[in-house]
Amino acid sequence: MEKRLKTLYQKIDELEASEQWLDLVDVYQECIRISLQIYGEYHDETLALYIEYGGLLRNLGRYDEALEALHKALHCAKVLKGTDHLDYAASLVNLANLLRMMKYFQESEKLFLQAKTIYEQKQATQLFQYVSLCNNLGLLYQDMGEHEKSIPLHNICLDVLRNDQEHEIIYGITLNNLVEPYKHIGEREKAIQVLKEAISIFFRNIDHASVLFAAAMNNLGIIYYEDQDYGKAKQCFETSMNISKEKLGTESESYKHSLRNYEKAMERISQRYPSFEPFSMAMEINENSKGLDIAEGYFRDVCYPMLKAEFSEYLPRMAAGLVGEGSECYGFDDLISRDHDFGPSFQIFIPAKDMEIYGAKLKKCIEELPKSYKGFQARNTCELGAGRTGLLTIEGFYDKFLSIHEVPSKLSIWRQMDDIPLSTATNGRVFMDNLGEFTRIREGLLAHYPEDVRLKRLAFHCTQIAQSGQYNLPRCLKRKQYVAATHALDEFVKHYCSFIYLINQTYKPYYKWEHEGLKTLPVLGKYSYDELAKLVLIPLQANPKYAIFVVEELCKRLILYLQEQKLTDNDADFLLYHVPSILSHIKDDNLRNSNPWLEK
C-alpha cells in the first residue's frame, strides 16, 4: 500500500507540473483512501492530503466538497497538534480562504485573524505560510471593499519575498493582488506598474504559472476595458478564459469571471460598431470641423438614406468609415490640409465576393450622390489621391497596405510588417460595420505586435538611439562636422519616436505626423514631444554641449522606463548596454538570438 501511495505522489507531481488540475481529483481521493487505511484519521500524512485536496477542490469551484475536506483537516490538526500549533494555523488559513471564496466574509476574517495571532505569537512571521496568510487576508479585505486594509498586508509579503528567486511566482501573485487596491485608492499608475511586473514574472515562468498568467491577463483586460480599448480588453479576457477553461474547468471561479468580462467587452464592441441607424440628432458640422466629422456627417445624412432605400437587402453586409491615407484620417488635418484630397467623402467596405453581385450598381449610386455638404464643396482629389474613397472591398483595402487581409497568426509574418502601413490601415473611424468582418481584422491588428516582436524592435531602436545620439552626434560635433551631426540627430529623433510608439503599443504613423502623434500617447508621449521639439531647435554650432545634454537626458528616461518594466537591471547610461537584457526576455529562440542591429 505504501508503494502504491508513493506512486500516486509521483503522479500528483507530474499532473501539477503540467497543470492538469481536473485529473488530480481522482488521484487525491485514492491517496486519502490509502492513507486512512495505512495511517488512520489522525496522522500528518492524512492531514497534508486533506489540506491539498481541499485546496484543489476550492480552486476548481467545488466548494461544498472542499468545505468537507478542509473541516476534516482542521479537526485532524486540532487533535494531532493542538490549537496553538502552526499546523493548526495553516488549516485555519485554508478554511478561511475557502469561506472567503464562498463569500462568508465575517467567518473568514475571524479564522484569518486567529491564525495570524498564532504565527505572531510563535514569532513565525518570516515563514512562507505567514506570507500566504497575509496575501489571502488582504484579498478578503478587497472582497469586503476595505482596500486600505489590504495594501499593508500585501506589502508585508513583498518585503519578505523581495529578491527571493525561489518564490518569484508568489511575489508576482502579490503584485497582482495589489492591482485592485491601488486602483480603488486612486493610484492607477501604481496599479498598472505592479500588474505589468506581475505579468512579466508569470510569463517568464509560464510552464508553472499559466493559471496565474490568466488571472493577471484578466486584470490587464479590466484596465483596457476601463480605458475603453475594448478590442485589447477582449483579447486579454479571451486569453484568460481559454487558459482557465483548459486548466481549471468551466466550474472554476477563474473561468466564470473571465467569461463574464469577455462578454461585457464583446457587448461594448457591438455597441461601438452596431447595426447602424442614423442618430436622432444631426451631427454639428461647421467651418472648423475636422475631416472625420465631416465624412461621418456626410455618410449619415446623405449616403445612408440612399443605402437604406436602394440596398436594404445588402446593407447587413456593409461597413463604412474613413480610414487610411490622408491627414484627416489621423485627425491631424487643418486649414492647410484642405488644398488637396479634402471634402465630403467616405468609404464603403464590402466582401470581395459581393462586388460582382451589387458592386457596379452601388458604385454608380455613390457617384451620383450630391458632392457638397454643409458648405463644404466636393472632394478635391489629386492624381495621387485617387481610389482612396468610395466603394472598396474589405480584402482589397487591407491588401493594399499589408499584402494580407487577415490578422497574422505567425510570428514570422508579424516580423515582416512595418509600423506605417499598419498605422495607415488602422487609423480613422468606422461609422458602421453591420457584417463585422472589417472591424474584426481592424481590432486584431490594433492589438499590436506579439510581445516577442515588440521586444526585438525595442532592442533594435536602442542600438540606433545609442549609436546616432549618444555616440555619433557628440563625435560629429567635436569634429565640427555639422552636416553629419544633423544626420545623426535626424536618426536619433526617428528611432526615439519609434521607441515611444512601441512602449505605448501604438503603430508609428508617416514621418510627417510621428512627432505630432506623440502628444496623445500616455507613456512618455507628452514629455518626448516637448523635449524633441526643444532638441531640434538647438543651434548645433553655437550650443553643441546643450544638445548633447538634452540627448542624454532623453536616453536616461528610456533607461528608467526599461528598469521600471524589469526589462533591464543594468545601471549603465549607454543604451546599447541594455540591449542584451531586453533580448533575454524574448521567448522565441530564433528571435532572441537574432542580430539586434537589424529590426526584423
Side-chain angles (χ1 to χ4, degrees), residues 350-353 393-409 413 417 425 437-442 445:
I350 64 174
K353 63 183 178 182
T393 66
I394 297 170
E395 297 89 336
F397 174 81
Y398 287 113
D399 281 340
K400 175 182 178 180
F401 299 109
L402 308 175
S403 300
I404 58 170
H405 49 265
E406 187 52 84
V407 182
S409 58
I413 299 176
M417 304 193 82
E437 181 64 8
F438 185 86
T439 301
R440 181 189 67 79
I441 300 171
R442 177 182 174 87
L445 295 171

Side-chain angles (χ1 to χ4, degrees), residues 169-182:
I169 293 175
I170 309 301
Y171 186 79
I173 292 173
T174 310
L175 290 168
N176 192 43
N177 290 343
L178 275 165
V179 174
E180 283 303 311
Y182 277 142

